Amino acid sequence: MNGDDPREDPRRRRVPPTSGRPGGPSVPPQGRPMPPQGRGVPPDPRYGRPPGNDRRPHPEDGPTVRYNPAPRRGASHVEPTQVLHRGNSGDQPLAYSQMPYEREKPRQPPPPPRREQVRHAPTQRPVPHHDGLPPRRTPPPVDLGRQPRPPRRRRKRHPFRWLTVIVVGLIVGLIAAVVHLDNSLTRITALPSYSDRVSNTPGTNWLLVGSDGRGDLSTEQEQELATGGDTGPERTDTIMMVHIPSSGPTTMVSLPRDSYVNIPGHGKDKLNASFALGGAPLLVQTVEEATGVRIDHYAQIGFGGFASVVDAIGGIEMCLDEPIVDPLAGLDLAAGCQKLSGPQALGFVRTRATPTADVDRMNRQRMFMAALLKKATGTGTLANPFALWPMATGVAGSLKVDDGDHIWNLAALGWAMRGDTVTTSVPIGGFDDTDVGNVLLWDKSKASGFFEALATDQQIPEELLTR
């Protein structure tokens, strides 16, 4: 009341209770015994470890808990919220030093939270929605009886593989066709081997012969071609020399079959008589000795083969200045341009029903041969297998060649004559009647220079040409 703080009233200070007598030992809190104090005190079996601060860890101890006693305070200080009295009277408070020494409880970890049993449905997660996805295909059932095959390795595409196969196939087919045509040729011994034979001359020289052989024709074919039936030994209706120079145009020379020449071993006679007497070898030898030009290749074709070749290429177009009518040759042609079939072409090159007979005949043969070779080697024939193959098989099946000749030699001949070709005849000196009949005489002065130019691979002078 006089300014004194009521809290300083000793009667109101709260002190810890005592055992009932002043200065006596402190009474531990009820319900918990007080641990022994001081060093050297044996361990209490209730605690399992020595009391005080000087205890060491024991194997049976649980988690280590350090005992940290509360710091001692002054005797005059008491907790303001607690007043302890001796006994139960509450008259005499205890000093602070007499307060019971309480051991701090070890802190226990909080018990884990108890999980209550989930009685509601689990939380559903949203599934993303995708538009435009194709329906999932169910794979076919696996055949358990067979082992699944490994996936095939995808092959790489080669764009040029088929092109290579096609090119190789064409080359193989071409080689097979050439071999077949070469085997279709009929080979004979045409080039002779005799003493004092003319030496090799530059360029390439062919001797082309059209014979009147009918051995391979039936009766119906003879009537269709108007050959006149069998007339004895095989003779020549057409004899031509073709000179292929190293450079320049090819020259085709007609040798009249009635030319009066020397036949080795038989004396003077017509040129075609050498073929009837000794066949192709004697004919070649007679031409070489009469001209001084060495023959390198030989080809012979008969009536039937000539007509089949013309039909194979679809006929030959010829332009006539005047009509030709020859019943013996089965020919009746009007003036003007027209296409000749195989039988008509054969009659056209054989007929003599013209004013100058054999001279006109030689001119028609050269003209027809040039037209035939031009069409046979033209782009329309070579690029059309339906025309080229029948023509090639027709030529190969109807030709007779020398033992050393092949189909590629004939191809080279046709290729050399595809362009501009000089067509001429041997210089003619006139006609004469002899013991072998009416013969054709050569102009010896002109014929000498004519064949000298061919033997030296030179172009024939213009004044020596016979158009």
Side-chain angles (χ1 to χ4, degrees):
M1 297 297 291
N2 296 326
D4 297 333
D5 190 352
R7 293 176 296 182
E8 296 295 330
D9 188 357
R11 292 176 296 179
R12 293 185 177 183
R13 287 184 300 178
R14 297 177 181 179
V15 295
T18 61
S19 62
R21 57 189 180 87
S26 60
V27 180
Q30 296 181 1
R32 177 181 295 181
M34 186 174 179
Q37 297 179 2
R39 296 184 179 180
V41 180
D44 193 341
R46 293 177 299 176
Y47 295 92
R49 57 184 179 272
N53 295 337
D54 296 338
R55 79 176 185 89
R56 293 182 177 87
H58 194 269
E60 298 180 0
D61 289 349
T64 302
V65 179
R66 293 183 179 274
Y67 175 72
N68 296 322
R72 295 187 178 185
R73 302 178 183 178
S76 61
H77 177 75
V78 294
E79 291 293 333
T81 59
Q82 184 180 7
V83 179
L84 300 177
H85 299 273
R86 293 182 181 181
N88 292 328
S89 61
D91 295 336
Q92 184 66 33
L94 294 176
Y96 183 80
S97 60
Q98 296 177 350
M99 294 179 62
Y101 186 83
E102 295 182 359
R103 181 174 177 267
E104 186 175 322
K105 296 181 180 181
R107 295 182 180 181
Q108 299 292 335
R114 183 178 181 183
R115 295 184 179 180
E116 296 182 359
Q117 184 177 2
V118 181
R119 297 183 179 181
H120 55 81
T123 305
Q124 297 181 357
R125 296 183 179 180
V127 179
H129 177 70
H130 300 281
D131 295 334
L133 293 178
R136 190 172 184 180
R137 297 181 179 179
T138 304
V142 180
D143 188 2
L144 300 179
R146 299 181 180 178
Q147 295 182 356
R149 295 182 179 179
R152 294 184 178 180
R153 186 177 180 182
R154 190 174 182 180
R155 297 181 179 179
K156 296 182 179 180
R157 295 184 178 181
H158 301 278
F160 298 102
R161 175 175 297 176
W162 286 109
L163 180 61
T164 304
V165 172
I166 292 174
V167 172
V168 172
L170 290 177
I171 294 175
V172 173
L174 181 61
I175 294 175
V178 170
V179 172
H180 172 73
L181 293 176
D182 189 63
N183 293 332
S184 300
L185 295 173
T186 302
R187 290 181 171 83
I188 59 175
T189 302
L191 301 181
S193 177
Y194 56 91
S195 59
D196 299 332
R197 187 182 178 187
V198 179
S199 60
N200 289 328
T201 54
T204 303
N205 300 303
W206 280 81
L207 186 64
L208 305 181
V209 176
S211 69
D212 61 355
R214 300 166 177 82
D216 55 346
L217 299 178
S218 62
T219 304
E220 292 77 9
Q221 290 176 332
E222 289 181 354
Q223 293 177 358
E224 181 183 2
L225 299 177
T227 59
D230 191 5
T231 58
E234 185 177 8
R235 296 173 299 180
T236 58
D237 271 3
T238 304
I239 304 174
M240 291 185 181
M241 178 188 294
V242 178
H243 175 73
I244 303 175
S246 302
S247 61
T250 301
T251 303
M252 182 168 57
V253 181
S254 294
L255 301 177
R257 67 172 190 173
D258 292 337
S259 299
Y260 194 60
V261 294
N262 181 50
I263 299 177
H266 299 276
K268 290 278 190 174
D269 205 336
K270 295 180 180 181
L271 181 60
N272 65 345
S274 61
F275 186 83
L277 294 174
L282 186 57
L283 174 62
V284 172
Q285 183 178 355
T286 301
V287 171
E288 287 181 346
E289 292 185 356
T291 61
V293 178
R294 186 184 180 102
I295 302 300
D296 302 307
H297 303 281
Y298 177 88
Q300 174 185 328
I301 190 170
F303 285 162
F306 183 85
S308 65
V309 170
V310 175
D311 288 335
I313 61 177
I316 302 297
E317 186 174 354
M318 300 298 298
C319 295
L320 306 180
D321 297 333
E322 55 186 16
I324 301 177
V325 179
D326 186 0
L328 296 178
L331 194 62
D332 187 2
L333 302 177
C337 296
Q338 53 199 300
K339 181 176 289 187
L340 304 183
S341 63
Q344 289 176 331
L346 180 60
F348 179 78
V349 298
R350 292 183 60 235
T351 183
R352 299 184 187 181
T354 54
T356 56
D358 280 345
V359 175
D360 291 340
R361 179 180 179 177
M362 289 186 298
N363 293 335
R364 288 193 301 271
Q365 289 174 352
R366 293 195 304 269
M367 182 172 59
F368 183 85
M369 185 64 67
L372 176 64
L373 292 173
K374 182 178 181 180
K375 186 173 183 179
T377 57
T379 305
T381 302
L382 297 178
N384 184 8
F386 298 100
L388 177 62
W389 182 251
M391 181 197 69
T393 54
V395 171
S398 59
L399 281 181
K400 294 181 180 180
V401 296
D402 182 63
D403 293 333
D405 293 333
H406 297 278
I407 192 68
W408 46 87
N409 299 126
L410 293 170
L413 171 64
W415 188 258
M417 298 183 66
R418 75 189 186 282
D420 295 335
T421 302
V422 178
T423 59
T424 183
S425 175
V426 62
I428 299 176
F431 297 89
D432 191 11
D433 291 328
T434 62
D435 55 351
V436 294
N438 188 269
V439 295
L440 184 146
L441 303 177
W442 292 358
D443 188 338
K444 293 185 179 180
S445 60
K446 292 184 178 181
S448 177
F450 182 93
F451 290 113
E452 180 68 21
L454 294 178
T456 57
D457 199 21
Q458 301 294 325
Q459 292 296 320
I460 300 175
E462 185 66 26
E463 63 272 10
L464 299 180
L465 296 177
T466 302
R467 300 296 186 179

